[in-house]
Amino acid sequence: MIRSAGKRNQKILIRRRFDIPTGFSDIDPKYTNGFYKWAKVTQPNSATYFDSIQTNNIITHYFEVIANDGMPISVDCEIVWSGSVYRVKRCRWLDQLKKYLLLECEEFAINE
């Protein structure tokens, strides 16, 4: 039986997105199979939200994951969680040992 690890109690799908040009000005998104991770999901407080709006880079959710495997996570990735798709805006380490990774994301679509 698989259990969640403490405060990381939400299962998320992390997948890489590739935009393939089609026609004159259209793009067709393609996705890798992705992988599942346990995450702690939080929303930024209002001060962070207003600062994000001023810089024109809106962050709607934080996903904290354990990055102990060799799967790379970058700004090319999307997160599917709770019926929505989130675009990764920034990734940063939360500790010196590079075990915990914080993904700053923007919600942009409903998962189809």
Side-chain angles (χ1 to χ4, degrees):
M1 181 158 115
I2 298 174
R3 296 179 185 246
S4 61
K7 63 183 177 180
R8 289 167 199 84
N9 59 3
Q10 300 294 316
K11 198 168 194 176
I12 62 172
L13 171 66
I14 301 174
R15 64 186 183 189
R16 189 169 306 275
R17 176 183 170 143
F18 299 98
D19 289 331
I20 309 297
T22 59
F24 182 69
S25 62
D26 292 333
I27 58 169
D28 187 22
K30 300 290 183 190
Y31 303 100
T32 60
N33 289 337
F35 54 95
Y36 289 94
K37 291 192 86 55
W38 290 105
K40 175 185 174 186
V41 181
T42 55
Q43 291 182 331
N45 60 19
S46 60
T48 305
Y49 185 73
F50 287 126
D51 287 341
S52 295
I53 287 177
Q54 290 174 357
T55 60
N56 210 11
N57 196 4
I58 299 171
I59 303 298
T60 60
H61 287 78
Y62 294 130
F63 294 89
E64 181 184 321
V65 297
I66 297 175
N68 56 359
D69 51 7
M71 304 303 280
I73 302 172
S74 67
V75 295
D76 296 334
C77 294
E78 292 180 350
I79 294 174
V80 180
W81 173 70
S82 187
S84 295
V85 180
Y86 300 85
R87 186 174 288 152
V88 176
K89 293 291 196 169
R90 286 187 290 270
C91 303
R92 62 182 163 127
W93 296 107
L94 293 177
D95 61 342
Q96 292 281 335
L97 301 175
K98 295 187 176 181
K99 181 178 179 182
Y100 301 104
L101 186 63
L102 182 69
L103 307 173
E104 299 177 7
C105 302
E106 174 187 7
E107 182 177 10
F108 78 99
I110 302 296
N111 191 26
E112 298 174 357

